[in-house]
């Protein structure tokens, strides 16, 4: 199986260019308008003396003492300064919270926050799921879940393993589709790990040149399980462009996503399952087109997941531009142990991520 390292390099190039542009904008917007107030002091009372004499000259009009107006109203507080992605008023104007269909029994969101490890057990370079041996990986995941519970005790944390079950490839392979489907025994192995850790499992699909409409049914056998959910990755959906994965960033239209939610909805109804969670990765404007045309169904909970890596300011900018500005249903946020910190930047902490508005309900570590 080929590594997707070239794809990471390509994503790095894209986000570095974005970061340069974002930095120029950020510098222009860093001025703080501070309200300066001087101490107010009432004027002294002006006193005049009455003048009288024997003549019938009327005395001058008494000068009225002047006082400053007295009020109990407080001066307006200075406006709060928010970093990108954190302004609650901007989120409200953009349409958050989204009016969603009523939750069905067994729905995970919004009552819980999902914290997931992403990757593939056959590669140490594709994410935390495969970087460590199974026991060490599950221990680390449990520790991360504990950090999120401590940061936001009001919401229960649900751990998850997010398996890349279809891996985009730089070569066409035997299928000619530029993707590799993981064997069923690998899928079952990770599902067993998830159950051992009382975690959910996500099947993640990188389509390459194969249409999601023909590839998704390949995994119905595992998606019939109530604890198995789905992720799709527009970056590696290159059916329309015909480009090789890693040479261009792909895209999904609302019509593609509506097919997926329709498929999952029918699966839930047919097998009497709790609602499925669908994560859609996104880190570019064209990664998802016509996002406002995505149909919401009671049987499927859609998470638009900010998938970009880089320094915290760049990640917040991407979250504002591609998640907050185009609300769908729920929000997600990805943290990269290596790529976010490779230039010396700190990995964002749970408390920092929780300052975002809306607060992400799906957190993924790669």
């Amino acid at each position: 199986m080929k590594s997707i390292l070239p794809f990471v390099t390509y994503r790095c190039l894209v986000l570095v260019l974005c970061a340069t542009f974002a930095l120029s904008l950020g510098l222009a917007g860093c001025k703080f308008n501070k309200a300066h107030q001087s101490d107010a002091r009432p004027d002294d009372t002006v006193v005049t003396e009455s003048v009288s004499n024997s003549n019938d000259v009327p005395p001058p009009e008494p000068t009225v003492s002047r006082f400053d107006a007295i009020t109990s109203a407080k001066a307006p507080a200075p406006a709060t300064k928010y970093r990108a992605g954190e302004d609650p008023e901007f989120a409200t104007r953009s349409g958050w919270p989204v009016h969603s269909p009523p939750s069905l029994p067994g729905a995970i969101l919004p009552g819980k926050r999902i914290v997931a490890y992403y990757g593939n057990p056959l590669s140490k370079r594709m994410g935390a799921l495969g970087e460590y041996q199974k026991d060490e990986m599950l221990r680390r995941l449990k520790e991360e879940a504990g950090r999120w519970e401590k940061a936001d005790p009001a919401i229960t944390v649900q751990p998850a393993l997010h398996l890349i079950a279809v891996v985009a490839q730089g070569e066409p392979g035997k299928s000619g589709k530029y993707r590799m489907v993981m064997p069923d025994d690998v899928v079952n192995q990770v599902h067993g790990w998830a159950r051992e850790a009382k975690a959910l499992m996500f099947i993640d699909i990188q389509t390459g040149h194969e249409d999601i409409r023909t590839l998704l049914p390949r995994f119905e056998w595992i998606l019939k399980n109530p604890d198995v959910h789905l992720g799709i990755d527009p970056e590696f959906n290159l059916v329309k462009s015909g480009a090789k994965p890693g040479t261009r960033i792909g895209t999904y239209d609302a019509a593609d996503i509506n097919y997926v939610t329709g498929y999952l909805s029918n699966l839930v109804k047919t097998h009497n399952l709790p609602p499925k969670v669908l994560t859609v990765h996104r880190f570019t404007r064209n990664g998802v087109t016509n996002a406002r045309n995505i149909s919401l169904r009671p049987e499927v909970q859609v998470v638009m997941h900010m998938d970009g890596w880089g320094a915290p300011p760049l990640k917040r900018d991407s979250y504002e531009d591609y998640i907050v500005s185009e609300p769908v249903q729920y929000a997600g946020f990805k943290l990269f142990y290596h790529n976010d910190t490779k230039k010396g930047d700190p990995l964002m902490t749970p408390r920092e991520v929780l300052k975002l508005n809306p607060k992400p309900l799906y957190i993924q570590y790669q």
Side-chain angles (χ1 to χ4, degrees):
M1 183 184 76
K2 290 184 176 292
S3 165
I4 62 168
L5 182 59
F7 311 162
V8 172
T9 303
Y10 182 74
R11 179 180 289 182
C12 176
L13 177 60
V14 171
L15 290 176
V16 167
L17 293 175
C18 292
T20 303
F21 179 67
L23 178 59
S24 64
L25 293 179
L27 291 175
C30 287
K31 297 179 180 179
F32 289 85
N33 296 320
K34 295 184 179 179
H36 296 284
Q37 297 182 348
S38 59
D39 292 334
R41 185 175 59 187
D43 293 337
D44 292 337
T45 302
V46 178
V47 180
T48 60
E49 294 182 356
S50 298
V51 178
S52 63
N53 52 36
S54 58
N55 300 325
D56 293 330
V57 178
E61 293 291 333
T63 302
V64 178
S65 299
R66 295 185 290 113
F67 297 93
D68 286 344
I70 299 175
T71 176
S72 61
K74 295 181 179 179
T80 303
K81 295 294 181 180
Y82 293 100
R83 294 176 295 187
E86 296 180 356
D87 188 347
E89 292 185 2
F90 178 78
T92 300
R93 292 195 303 271
S94 298
W96 295 92
V98 176
H99 180 68
S100 300
S103 295
L104 297 179
I108 297 170
L109 306 174
K112 295 182 179 181
R113 173 172 288 112
I114 300 170
V115 175
Y117 262 15
Y118 171 93
N120 185 297
L122 301 183
S123 171
K124 292 187 176 183
R125 295 184 294 178
M126 293 170 66
L129 192 156
E131 183 175 356
Y132 309 102
Q133 293 296 318
K134 172 237 181 180
D135 290 341
E136 175 70 3
M137 180 269 294
L138 293 180
R139 182 188 67 78
R140 288 172 175 264
L141 175 59
K142 184 177 180 180
E143 288 180 351
E144 289 293 2
R147 293 186 185 101
W148 282 92
E149 287 179 339
K150 183 178 180 180
D152 188 5
I155 186 168
T156 301
V157 172
Q158 172 61 64
L161 297 180
H162 197 117
L163 169 68
I164 312 173
V166 182
V167 185
Q169 301 290 292
E171 299 296 333
K174 293 181 179 179
S175 68
K177 299 294 185 180
Y178 291 86
R179 88 300 180 263
M180 178 180 290
V181 180
M182 291 295 101
D184 291 353
D185 60 349
V186 172
V187 176
N188 274 323
Q189 180 185 43
V190 176
H191 190 207
W193 295 352
R195 288 187 165 177
E196 178 182 334
K198 296 180 174 56
L200 303 176
M201 179 182 178
F202 282 79
I203 296 292
D204 201 86
I205 297 177
Q206 301 174 353
T207 55
H209 286 191
E210 184 167 359
D211 196 306
I212 189 67
R213 292 162 179 79
T214 62
L215 191 53
L216 178 56
R218 166 75 175 73
F219 293 95
E220 182 169 327
W221 66 274
I222 188 71
L223 288 167
K224 289 180 182 178
N225 289 279
D227 57 345
V228 179
H229 302 268
L230 182 66
I232 58 175
D233 199 339
E235 179 184 0
F236 299 111
N237 182 53
L238 296 151
V239 175
K240 293 181 180 179
S241 69
K244 293 182 180 181
T247 65
R248 187 178 299 181
I249 299 174
T251 184
Y252 272 126
D253 186 70
D256 302 309
I257 297 171
N258 288 340
Y259 161 77
V260 174
T261 60
Y263 183 92
L264 293 176
S265 176
N266 289 334
L267 195 66
V268 167
K269 293 175 182 177
T270 300
H271 299 282
N272 193 28
L273 300 170
K276 293 293 184 185
V277 177
L278 170 66
T279 63
V280 183
H281 309 304
R282 187 179 188 186
F283 67 99
T284 64
R285 175 69 58 201
N286 292 328
V288 175
T289 55
N290 301 306
R292 294 189 183 272
N293 293 334
I294 295 173
S295 300
L296 299 183
R297 312 174 195 271
E299 300 81 15
V300 184
Q301 302 190 296
V302 181
V303 175
M304 295 303 294
H305 177 228
M306 202 295 286
D307 191 32
W309 62 264
L314 178 58
K315 294 176 76 72
R316 286 191 290 265
D317 283 341
S318 296
Y319 187 78
E320 180 177 281
D321 291 343
Y322 311 129
I323 307 300
V324 185
S325 297
E326 295 192 23
V328 176
Q329 190 173 17
Y330 299 107
F333 198 84
K334 183 179 238 181
L335 295 163
F336 294 77
Y337 284 122
H338 302 297
N339 286 344
D340 282 354
T341 60
K342 66 192 303 182
K343 294 185 178 180
D345 297 296
L347 186 71
M348 292 180 70
T349 67
R351 292 189 184 277
E352 290 173 325
V353 176
L354 287 170
K355 292 180 181 179
L356 297 169
N357 273 290
K359 290 178 173 57
L361 288 176
Y362 174 87
I363 305 296
Q364 186 182 96
Y365 286 90
Q366 180 171 343

